Amino acid sequence: MTASSAPSSSPDLATTAGKLDDLRSRLAETAAPAGEDAVAAVHGAGRLTARERVTGLLDDGSFTEIDALARHRSTSFNLDRERPVTDGVVTGYGTVDGRQVCVFSQDATVFDGTVGETHGEKLVKVMELALRSGVPLIGIHDSTGGRVKEGVVSLGTAARLYRLRTQLSGVVPQISVIAGPTAGTEAHQPALADLVVTVRDAGALYLTDPQTTAQVVGEETTAAELGSADVLMANGTSHLAVSSDSDALATVRDLLAQLPANNRAPAPVVEAAGTAPDAAPDTAALDTLLPDSPLGGYDVHDVLAGVVDPDSLLELQPDFAGNVVTAFARVDGRSVGVVATQPLVLAGALDADAARKAARFIRFCDAFNLPLVFVVDSPGFLPGVDGERAGLLRQSAPLLYAVAEATVGMVTVVTRKAYGTSYVALGSKNIGADLVYAWPTAQISNADAENTVSAVHAETLAKAERRRKDVDALRASLLDEVESTLVNPYAAAERGYVDMVIPPSETRRRLIDGLALVERKLVQSAPRKHGNLPL
């Protein structure tokens, strides 16, 4: 029996029992709106159905579906001959670890998951419900775009959805899962979300499909080349990539565990790991982590391992702008956002991609009351003609804006280099950090010792060379002088730009105390409609 055919025997609708049988029959149809063969094909491809994705995400028995019996009402192009229930999307609400969320999951077995009027109305309703109730919105995307056969209605629906996404922004967390090919007008939905998780070998996200791309610009391509998980991770569109639908759902649960329900709720706090040696990070290892040479590299993940709670670090966009690490983590059970420069990539120098990556993450954390922890080892912004001509100033300015605008608690740890504008941008005292700690290895200055000597003592060195003196010995002496007076943490500490110079092994304890202090930070902002973020 197909999804649209009538049952062999109709219930007696003159009786209550018959009406209940009729309801059960209609609801049973929602389990396979395109028929059992379509469900079998989805399973044969190693994937979950749209409904299974919802029930797999939510706590057992918690899903309440809305608009399960909705059908489209379009008659154009003979669409009225096929009117499956759900119209290609499962919507509703339920709980994840006992916390309420709203969710939708597009069903590619029904009209390729395309968004027509009814499908769009269901999305609008569940988004509005998330907005009114103040709970996170989870979208599972598997749609080739607007339903062309319904004409301009699908475009009007897309506009309503974009507007709603914008209204939800900064009010409740929005997480999108790219579970199948998602294109056209639907592609911008996840792009407007806060966090994107992509399923490898199944999910793809792009504006224009391969066929249209070939027709319009003459480029033969594939969906994978346009927007596979690898492409999306490399260009920063996707925050995380996983191998299966089930892994994607587990990842969403992990993300939700780090986030509050909405912008008025405090950051989650879980019971601290305790004091057992195997349940706490190895803080003592930090004292011997950094190499003696300022040119030596080290992995900032090793720093974080000695600071945050074990197994709590959830890094975002690891394959994009690797010179900056952005991650959720917990410190003594308290959820925080981490922004850390990575000395193993470009020596921790900032470029346009790193600045944008950090800026968007900082604004997200600020919107949802997640305190920020900065770990800084950066020689500055990456120099070069190509970068400057490409607009490095314009593209990096959002980082300065995001940090200066943030009102959540901010605690900064300078481990080694903090030079120039990158020092200012990455949680410096005067841009808004509440507490700044520095390791004894910190080098806080306009530039490193070599460049400082060249800038400050250029005339002295030139005169010595003209007089045939030992320039190398003079330069070495000047380097020692600069390092002892300028390029160290103590000059900054004397000015109050650093609150404490601490042994690395004390970092976690100081963070715990500091984060507890600024947990209820109050900031009075000047009244305005909104700032003009330098996009």
Side-chain angles (χ1 to χ4, degrees):
M1 183 178 73
T2 64
S4 58
S5 62
S8 56
S9 59
S10 300
D12 183 359
L13 298 182
T15 67
T16 299
K19 291 177 181 179
L20 287 171
D21 286 341
D22 179 54
L23 173 60
R24 294 187 189 99
S25 176
R26 291 173 183 270
L27 291 177
E29 188 181 342
T30 66
E36 294 295 341
D37 289 346
V39 172
V42 171
H43 289 165
R47 304 171 65 193
L48 300 177
T49 66
R51 186 170 300 277
E52 289 167 341
R53 289 166 179 161
V54 172
T55 57
L57 170 68
L58 302 177
D59 298 337
D60 290 344
S62 72
F63 180 47
T64 297
E65 187 171 2
I66 56 178
D67 293 328
L69 301 178
R71 300 179 191 268
H72 77 79
R73 48 192 173 271
S74 178
T75 59
S76 58
F77 300 99
N78 297 320
L79 276 174
D80 51 325
R81 296 181 181 178
E82 187 177 3
R83 300 180 63 235
V85 289
T86 73
D87 200 46
V89 63
V90 179
T91 58
Y93 59 92
T95 61
V96 174
D97 294 330
R99 301 168 63 204
Q100 292 282 354
V101 300
C102 285
V103 62
F104 68 82
S105 179
Q106 293 175 315
D107 186 353
T109 69
V110 177
F111 302 132
D112 294 324
T114 53
V115 181
E117 183 178 22
T118 299
H119 183 132
E121 286 174 347
K122 292 180 66 174
L123 294 180
V124 166
K125 183 185 286 189
V126 76
M127 288 185 186
E128 289 178 338
L129 185 60
L131 185 62
R132 290 196 303 270
S133 57
V135 302
L137 174 72
I138 314 302
I140 303 175
H141 299 266
D142 194 347
S143 169
T144 55
R147 195 169 299 167
V148 176
K149 289 185 177 181
E150 292 196 26
V152 73
V153 171
S154 65
L155 294 177
T157 297
R160 291 178 68 190
L161 294 174
Y162 298 161
R163 183 177 176 83
L164 263 171
R165 284 285 190 181
T166 305
Q167 292 171 343
L168 285 162
S169 180
V171 179
V172 299
Q174 301 177 70
I175 303 176
S176 287
V177 175
I178 311 301
T182 302
T185 54
E186 274 301 283
H188 271 118
Q189 262 218 73
L192 288 169
D194 298 308
L195 300 166
V196 178
V197 180
T198 306
V199 180
R200 295 189 185 277
D201 302 324
L205 183 67
Y206 44 84
L207 271 173
T208 309
D209 61 59
Q211 293 76 22
T212 305
T213 299
Q215 293 170 1
V216 175
V217 298
E219 292 180 358
E220 295 294 333
T221 187
T222 65
E225 290 174 335
L226 291 172
S228 67
D230 288 340
V231 170
L232 299 176
M233 290 295 289
N235 63 30
T237 302
S238 182
H239 295 81
L240 294 161
V242 295
S243 59
S244 68
D245 285 344
S246 297
D247 287 344
L249 304 179
T251 299
V252 172
R253 295 175 73 95
D254 289 342
L255 290 168
L256 288 170
Q258 298 273 18
L259 304 176
N262 55 57
N263 62 346
R264 295 187 177 184
V269 178
V270 301
E271 186 177 349
T275 57
D278 59 347
D282 182 6
T283 57
L286 296 180
D287 284 341
T288 56
L289 176 62
L290 265 62
D292 291 333
S293 169
L295 301 178
Y298 65 94
D299 192 340
V300 76
H301 291 97
D302 293 332
V303 176
L304 299 177
V307 171
V308 305
D309 296 353
D311 301 321
S312 72
L313 191 76
L314 181 53
E315 185 176 352
L316 306 177
Q317 298 176 298
D319 299 333
F320 173 68
N323 38 337
V324 167
V325 172
T326 54
F328 299 124
R330 291 191 181 90
V331 178
D332 201 38
R334 180 179 286 105
S335 288
V336 300
V338 175
V339 178
T341 53
Q342 174 58 282
L344 296 183
V345 180
L346 299 178
L350 300 176
D351 57 5
D353 284 345
R356 289 197 303 270
K357 172 182 174 178
R360 180 160 172 79
F361 179 74
I362 290 165
R363 285 174 65 84
F364 175 81
C365 292
D366 188 49
F368 293 109
N369 309 314
L370 292 177
L372 286 160
V373 174
F374 292 89
V375 179
V376 183
D377 184 352
S378 174
F381 280 88
L382 191 67
V385 174
D386 291 343
E388 295 283 5
R389 288 182 175 177
L392 177 61
L393 280 171
R394 171 181 54 81
Q395 295 179 79
S396 60
L399 174 58
L400 292 163
Y401 190 103
V403 179
E405 184 187 47
T407 60
V408 293
M410 291 190 287
V411 182
T412 301
V413 179
V414 181
T415 61
R416 194 166 60 175
K417 300 173 185 174
Y419 296 151
T421 310
S422 67
Y423 155 71
V424 175
L426 294 169
S428 63
K429 191 74 174 180
N430 286 7
I431 205 170
D434 300 290
L435 295 166
V436 177
Y437 303 120
W439 290 2
T441 49
Q443 304 167 5
I444 303 173
S445 182
N446 278 290
D448 62 16
E450 287 279 356
N451 286 312
T452 299
V453 167
S454 297
V456 174
H457 296 293
E459 185 176 342
T460 300
L461 291 169
K463 185 182 295 184
E465 187 172 7
R466 288 196 301 271
R467 295 179 177 178
R468 301 181 182 278
K469 292 186 176 181
D470 189 341
V471 175
D472 292 338
L474 176 60
R475 179 180 291 275
S477 174
L478 293 173
L479 280 172
D480 289 340
E481 178 187 354
V482 166
E483 288 174 350
S484 63
T485 58
L486 291 178
V487 187
N488 60 61
Y490 303 108
E494 287 177 6
R495 294 280 185 174
Y497 298 158
V498 167
D499 294 298
M500 292 183 69
V501 181
I502 60 173
S505 55
E506 287 188 12
T507 304
R508 174 174 166 84
R509 179 167 66 85
R510 298 298 180 185
L511 283 180
I512 291 172
D513 293 343
L515 289 168
L517 176 67
V518 300
E519 186 174 30
R520 300 186 183 279
K521 175 181 174 181
L522 295 175
V523 175
Q524 296 294 329
S525 301
R528 59 179 175 179
K529 186 175 182 181
H530 58 72
N532 186 19
L533 177 68
L535 298 173

